[in-house]
Amino acid sequence: MTHADESVLVERARTDPDAFGTLYDRYMERIYSYAARQTGDVAAAQDITAATFEKALRHIRRFQWRNIGFAPWLYRIASNEIAQHYRNRRFTVAWGERDEAEPVGVMPGGNGARPPEARVLAMEQSGMLARALRGLSAADRDVLTLRFLEGLSTDDVAAVLGCSRDNVYVRLHRALARLRQQLERLEGMEANQL
């Protein structure tokens, strides 16, 4: 769906619940996936997804296009709901407190003898990528998740995080460097155990 088509649908959704239902159908799984990755808790992800769409429906009349799609606005709401979830619980659940075998997505980068794709797939299968991500800060996990696991464009990530496009590039570069360090540390620990 193009921005123009989505714009028409959003305009219809301001007054037509069926049009909002189409938006819900299009984005529900993506928002749920994002919430599940950030919380590691199925019930919390379901609650966050429901609250995100409830707020989007309630405030869609105030939504304004700013050369980006509807998705960044939803991710921004979801991000706020995730933060509220943690504030309400008064403690933080680690990003990866979930089944290690659950796929976490493919992250770019890395170096070594094997091609990066093969290396990442091997790490993902062993749960190493999930462990490495758990070792990062929430801000690093968020920027990496939005860009690579959720597949948002750099402009959309900037809109969700409320920063400039250049800042997203800097944050991604630094987060990827820290992820690479975590992966190398974990690979070294795993090699020592063999």
Side-chain angles (χ1 to χ4, degrees):
M1 178 180 285
T2 66
H3 278 295
D5 294 338
E6 191 173 64
S7 176
V8 169
L9 187 57
V10 168
E11 287 304 316
R12 280 190 32 230
R14 294 178 197 268
T15 58
D16 180 7
D18 289 335
F20 188 84
T22 302
L23 290 169
Y24 174 85
D25 290 342
R26 179 165 184 205
Y27 291 109
M28 188 278 300
E29 287 183 22
R30 290 174 61 186
I31 296 298
Y32 171 79
S33 175
Y34 172 62
R37 283 187 183 108
Q38 295 302 314
T39 64
D41 182 340
V42 171
Q46 290 170 342
D47 292 344
I48 289 165
T49 302
T52 298
F53 282 98
E54 185 268 327
K55 286 187 178 179
L57 178 61
R58 198 166 5 122
H59 298 291
I60 195 162
R61 291 183 182 180
R62 292 190 288 182
F63 172 73
Q64 296 177 5
W65 286 95
R66 293 189 179 115
N67 297 327
I68 56 172
F70 185 69
W73 186 62
L74 285 176
Y75 279 100
R76 179 79 168 207
I77 295 169
S79 180
N80 290 339
E81 288 299 313
I82 291 165
Q84 184 63 45
H85 164 75
Y86 286 123
R87 279 192 297 272
N88 289 345
R89 290 184 51 190
R90 303 247 185 239
F91 63 93
T92 303
V93 174
W95 179 84
E97 283 187 16
R98 58 186 170 81
D99 183 4
E100 290 290 333
E102 181 183 340
V104 294
V106 176
M107 303 294 289
N111 53 23
R114 293 182 284 172
E117 296 83 6
R119 193 166 164 242
V120 168
L121 288 173
M123 285 181 234
E124 184 178 357
Q125 290 170 348
S126 71
M128 189 180 300
L129 186 58
R131 289 193 307 273
L133 284 167
R134 276 195 305 271
L136 298 177
S137 70
D140 285 349
R141 283 192 310 270
D142 207 21
V143 72
L144 291 170
T145 298
L146 289 169
R147 180 64 183 102
F148 298 115
L149 299 180
E150 295 302 320
L152 294 181
S153 70
T154 304
D155 290 332
D156 289 349
V157 173
V160 172
L161 298 178
C163 63
S164 72
R165 186 173 203 243
D166 290 340
N167 187 259
V168 170
Y169 285 125
V170 169
R171 289 170 73 172
L172 280 170
H173 176 75
R174 291 176 181 167
L176 284 169
R178 286 188 279 268
L179 178 61
R180 191 173 298 114
Q181 289 172 345
Q182 285 282 70
L183 289 170
E184 289 169 358
R185 184 181 65 79
L186 291 172
E187 283 180 321
M189 289 172 50
E190 194 170 273
N192 288 337
Q193 292 176 356
L194 298 177

